[in-house]
Amino acid sequence: MKYLTLLLALLCFDSVADQSIVFGVHSKTAPLEWRNNGVDQGFNIELMDRIGQLTNRRIIVRRKSFQELVADIHNPDSDIDVIAVVSPVNLGRQLSQSDPIYATHAKAYTLHGKGYINDWQDLIGKRVAIKKGAFVDVYLSGYPQEFERVDVDLYETGFQLMTQGKVDVVLAESFVARRLLPLYPGIRSGSDALIYGAFNFVANNQRNALMIEINDALRQLKLSGEYDALVNKWFGTGREKVDLTSTQKRTFALAIVISIISAIGMIFTGFVSISLRQQKRALKAELAQRLDIQRQLVSLSKQFQSVLDGIPNGVTIYSQDLQKLWSNDNNIELLSSADFHYEDGRAFNLDSVVTQVINQQTSQIEEMAHGQQFWQLQVHPITNDQVVILLEETTEAHQLRQANDEASRLASLGELSAGIAHEINNPTGLIVHSISQLQQVIADCQPAFDSYQKQNPFWLITGLAPEQALDEAYHSCNTIEEGAQRISRIVSDLKRYALPTISSEQTLVSLNEVVNVSLRLTANQIKTFQVSIQLSQPEAMVYGDAQQLQQVLINLIQNACHACEAGKGNLVIETRTKDQQAILSVTDNGCGMSRSTLARVTEPFFTTRRTVGGSGLGLSVCSRIIKAHKGELLMTSKLKQGTCIKVCLPLATKENN
């Protein structure tokens, strides 16, 4: 049973083999035999498929190299039945061969610049690449070869050898050469057609019967027009019927005529081209110069625009009819604002100013105001009908001038206070001296008063009994002496506060004494507030300038008083030591400060009391003084809850003496 099954399989295999044609192909590019996305197609393959349909045979495409196919077709036992090759038109192959399928030719291909190959004589002595087994090889087998033959496996190999300088000429079939030339730009067609040939289906002589069937089918396709349709599909032309020799002669003659016309045209074109190149170079140079100038102008314009846009001052150009020609748009709205006026209060009119400057061709520089801001306005003529207007904010400079004037007044007031204090000290000294003498007089007159009281029991002094009157006199003297001494202390403190800082030398200062002196100088301001004093024991000692520290504390006390309502304010002034630091703090329960106000409170001229005379210099000066003492000013505040300001200074030690 097993052998029977095997015999049936072999019979079936032989039956299938008899009903198929193995078509050997080697080309991989259009239009003859090629592969696209793994599918075999092309003129030869499609033509063979149609022949297979007519002969009721299945076509099997098998790809091998050209040399392998040539060897197979000469081997009767090969698995290849048919291949498509080119045969010279005047020579036949020693194989079973079909009718011509498609005409082609071969020509010489050389490197650019090499001489033209007119005929076979021009190949004498040259190294010529010949594809082994190709129709050029078949053609040359019957002719003497007076050149050095170099056998190659593929036309592409010949092209590669030529680019390497190892061969001079490649004799190649035109279809293949057209595919290879784009890959080798240094190679060109160096002759007319040297060999004419035609594509044929070729099989081993043992398969003559098969070739007869193929020829019958091929003739049916030519008669039915299907062959022409395939040719038109793959080559874009009809069935080949022209005589290649006569066509070559006509083509050659036409080529000569065209060459002559082309030569004349080339000469004329050369003259025109030279002239055009010269004009092109001149125009190109001029264009490059203009583009370079344009780039420079654009770059300069951008830089100028960037500079003008970046400055904070307003810059605007107006025409005589008040048309805005250009502006960097900084504060330009002020020129049309009704609140923009001269510093002396006069109204500003842009039209009249522009007209006056253009008519007189003279510049105007004015100081202007807008709300709480101050500006300098400059109007300059730049042409007979245009002006440039510059706006610069001078608010800070104006405030600095005011602060300087105020500082001058304060300095004058300090000098005046020192003079007044000196003048007050003189009568105060007389009062103290006189009261002391009056107390001694009363004490010395006491026995006389007692003796006279005995003689006149009803004697009265200022309407009072003598003993009561003397007690009142003693009390009045003590009160006067105490008041005079208090005046003397206040005047002494005021003199020290008003004195300018002359020396930078620091002395040992008690923070408790700074508090006591500051309280005496601000006694009139804090009398309506509840003041709590907490002084450290032992005293917190620092190195510094007592007058400047007093100035800081007086300013903090005054600010605390301003923040509190009279009769409701509570002030806590404390000195203490912590971590080698002496701390002086002033705490109030006043209105407090917002976070934004707290961040700017030490900036010069920043104040929330501008409308009531605040200069914004107090805490700025305090911060500077504390920094000069190598300390820091710490502030915490909450709206409607109060503020605490701490002055932290290095504690006096032997090391920092």
Side-chain angles (χ1 to χ4, degrees):
M1 185 65 183
K2 177 173 67 174
Y3 294 108
L4 180 60
T5 303
L6 180 60
L7 179 61
L8 290 174
L10 290 174
L11 291 174
C12 291
F13 177 79
D14 290 339
S15 177
V16 171
D18 291 340
Q19 298 301 318
S20 65
I21 301 175
V22 178
F23 183 47
V25 299
H26 67 92
S27 175
K28 297 181 180 179
T29 56
L32 299 170
E33 305 155 1
W34 64 303
R35 178 174 292 177
N36 185 24
N37 296 326
V39 179
D40 290 307
Q41 51 188 300
F43 172 75
N44 289 338
I45 295 176
E46 191 168 347
L47 180 60
M48 181 55 71
D49 283 340
R50 189 70 186 94
I51 290 172
Q53 293 174 10
L54 293 176
T55 59
N56 293 320
R57 293 177 181 268
R58 183 167 64 92
I59 304 301
I60 300 174
V61 176
R62 187 158 297 161
R63 290 191 173 273
K64 293 186 179 183
S65 69
F66 179 74
Q67 282 69 27
E68 289 175 337
L69 292 176
V70 172
D72 284 339
I73 209 65
H74 285 85
N75 182 8
D77 299 326
S78 170
D79 60 341
I80 301 298
D81 295 322
V82 180
I83 64 172
V85 296
V86 180
S87 298
V89 294
N90 56 345
L91 294 176
R93 293 179 179 270
Q94 297 176 354
L95 296 169
S96 182
Q97 186 170 297
S98 73
D99 294 340
I101 300 174
Y102 194 76
T104 183
H105 65 272
K107 61 171 68 174
Y109 292 88
T110 62
L111 294 175
H112 284 282
K114 298 297 182 179
Y116 195 76
I117 306 297
N118 294 298
D119 52 33
W120 293 96
Q121 296 298 321
D122 292 335
L123 295 178
I124 296 175
K126 290 184 169 54
R127 297 169 297 174
V128 182
I130 305 295
K131 180 179 177 182
K132 189 65 176 173
F135 91 107
V136 177
D137 184 20
V138 174
Y139 178 83
L140 292 176
S141 63
Y143 290 87
Q145 302 172 11
E146 300 182 22
F147 51 82
E148 181 183 346
R149 173 174 173 150
V150 179
D151 290 335
V152 295
D153 58 342
L154 296 170
Y155 289 125
E156 187 169 4
T157 304
F159 277 39
Q160 292 174 354
L161 293 176
M162 184 185 296
T163 59
Q164 297 170 5
K166 296 180 179 180
V167 298
D168 302 313
V169 179
V170 176
L171 292 180
E173 193 266 320
S174 61
F175 279 114
V176 179
R178 280 202 299 268
R179 172 176 62 84
L180 294 177
L181 284 177
L183 305 177
Y184 297 90
I187 299 176
R188 48 87 172 178
S189 172
S191 75
D192 292 328
L194 297 177
I195 307 172
Y196 293 97
F199 282 93
N200 300 86
F201 291 130
V202 176
N204 190 274
N205 290 327
Q206 300 295 325
R207 295 180 173 84
N208 284 333
L210 175 62
M211 188 54 65
I212 292 173
E213 292 184 40
I214 292 175
N215 268 329
D216 290 341
L218 182 59
R219 291 163 188 165
Q220 291 182 44
L221 292 173
K222 290 180 179 180
L223 291 173
S224 66
E226 290 185 61
Y227 170 82
D228 291 325
L230 286 176
V231 170
N232 187 57
K233 173 182 177 181
W234 291 102
F235 300 103
T237 182
R239 180 179 177 183
E240 186 63 67
K241 298 179 180 179
V242 297
D243 178 46
L244 296 178
T245 303
S246 61
T247 301
Q248 179 186 14
K249 293 180 180 179
R250 289 195 299 272
T251 303
F252 182 71
L254 180 61
I256 292 175
V257 174
I258 294 174
S259 297
I260 295 173
I261 296 174
S262 298
I264 298 173
M266 287 177 64
I267 294 173
F268 177 75
T269 304
F271 286 114
V272 174
S273 177
I274 292 173
S275 176
L276 289 177
R277 278 199 298 270
Q278 292 175 347
Q279 294 182 11
K280 180 180 179 182
R281 282 195 295 267
L283 290 174
K284 188 176 181 180
E286 182 180 357
L287 179 61
Q289 184 179 7
R290 291 190 177 187
L291 289 176
D292 186 55
I293 294 174
Q294 182 180 1
R295 284 193 295 269
Q296 294 178 7
L297 290 175
V298 171
S299 176
L300 183 62
S301 176
K302 289 181 178 179
Q303 292 174 0
F304 182 69
Q305 182 71 39
S306 177
V307 170
L308 291 178
D309 289 341
I311 62 176
N313 302 339
V315 181
T316 307
I317 298 177
Y318 277 102
S319 63
Q320 190 169 9
D321 56 358
L322 283 186
Q323 181 181 359
K324 184 173 69 174
L325 304 178
W326 182 89
S327 175
N328 64 355
D329 295 329
N330 287 340
N331 307 305
I332 188 64
E333 69 279 355
L334 292 177
L335 299 176
S336 58
S337 174
D339 297 331
F340 191 60
H341 56 83
Y342 294 98
E343 195 171 9
D344 58 8
R346 291 180 293 119
F348 171 75
N349 184 271
L350 178 62
D351 190 1
S352 61
V353 171
V354 171
T355 301
Q356 182 179 355
V357 169
I358 290 178
N359 291 339
Q360 298 179 0
Q361 287 296 299
T362 57
S363 301
Q364 283 193 18
I365 301 177
E366 302 288 348
E367 298 297 327
M368 312 296 291
H370 182 269
Q372 300 297 323
Q373 295 177 321
F374 296 89
W375 301 81
Q376 185 183 73
L377 174 70
Q378 299 184 34
V379 186
H380 304 283
I382 53 176
T383 64
N384 292 331
D385 58 354
Q386 293 179 8
V387 298
V388 59
I389 299 179
L390 308 178
L391 269 176
E392 180 182 3
E393 186 177 3
T394 58
T395 304
E396 184 175 353
H398 188 273
Q399 291 174 344
L400 287 173
R401 287 197 299 270
Q402 289 183 332
N404 184 55
D405 295 341
E406 185 175 352
S408 299
R409 290 195 299 271
L410 289 175
S412 300
L413 181 60
E415 294 176 1
L416 181 61
S417 298
I420 294 174
H422 178 72
E423 295 299 327
I424 292 176
N425 268 341
N426 292 332
T428 301
L430 292 176
I431 293 173
V432 172
H433 178 72
S434 299
I435 289 300
S436 177
Q437 187 175 11
L438 182 59
Q439 287 177 333
Q440 293 179 4
V441 169
I442 294 174
D444 291 342
C445 291
Q446 182 68 42
F449 291 158
D450 293 340
S451 176
Y452 187 74
Q453 178 69 28
K454 292 178 182 180
Q455 297 176 11
N456 188 3
F458 301 103
W459 178 50
L460 300 176
I461 300 176
T462 64
L464 299 174
E467 292 181 0
Q468 186 179 0
L470 289 177
D471 290 339
E472 290 292 334
Y474 275 120
H475 179 71
S476 297
C477 288
N478 291 333
T479 302
I480 293 172
E481 182 178 15
E482 182 180 349
Q485 290 176 351
R486 184 167 181 270
I487 291 173
S488 179
R489 286 196 304 272
I490 292 174
V491 169
S492 177
D493 293 339
L494 185 59
K495 285 175 66 178
R496 286 197 301 270
Y497 182 75
L499 284 175
T501 302
I502 298 175
S503 175
S504 60
E505 296 182 1
Q506 295 182 335
T507 59
L508 195 62
V509 179
S510 168
L511 286 188
N512 291 359
E513 182 61 24
V514 171
V515 172
N516 292 329
V517 173
S518 301
L519 288 174
R520 288 197 296 269
L521 292 174
T522 58
N524 187 58
Q525 292 176 287
I526 64 176
K527 63 184 179 181
T528 59
F529 298 94
Q530 183 69 35
V531 181
S532 174
I533 310 299
Q534 301 175 10
L535 303 180
S536 65
Q537 294 298 332
E539 294 181 318
M541 305 298 292
V542 298
Y543 283 102
D545 189 315
Q547 293 179 11
Q548 289 185 343
L549 294 177
Q550 292 165 14
Q551 181 180 353
V552 170
L553 182 55
I554 289 172
N555 191 278
L556 297 182
I557 293 174
Q558 289 174 341
N559 285 350
C561 293
H562 293 151
C564 299
E565 295 184 24
K568 297 182 180 180
N570 292 326
L571 275 64
V572 178
I573 302 174
E574 179 185 6
T575 62
R576 59 190 176 91
T577 60
K578 181 181 180 182
D579 298 334
Q580 297 301 312
Q581 280 192 323
I583 301 174
L584 169 62
S585 63
V586 178
T587 306
D588 65 69
N589 63 341
C591 60
M593 292 179 285
S594 65
R595 183 178 299 177
S596 59
T597 301
L598 192 63
R600 300 185 57 194
V601 74
T602 58
E603 293 181 11
F605 308 109
F606 177 79
T607 178
T608 58
R609 303 182 64 255
R610 183 81 63 190
T611 56
V612 293
S615 66
L617 289 171
L619 284 177
S620 176
V621 173
C622 291
S623 177
R624 178 177 55 81
I625 291 174
I626 297 304
K627 288 180 180 178
H629 282 73
K630 299 180 181 179
E632 57 180 339
L633 201 64
L634 304 178
M635 291 176 283
T636 57
S637 183
K638 291 185 179 180
L639 285 174
K640 299 181 181 181
Q641 294 186 24
T643 301
C644 177
I645 301 180
K646 295 180 181 179
V647 177
C648 301
L649 299 169
L651 196 62
T653 60
K654 293 181 180 180
E655 287 76 7
N656 59 15
N657 187 359

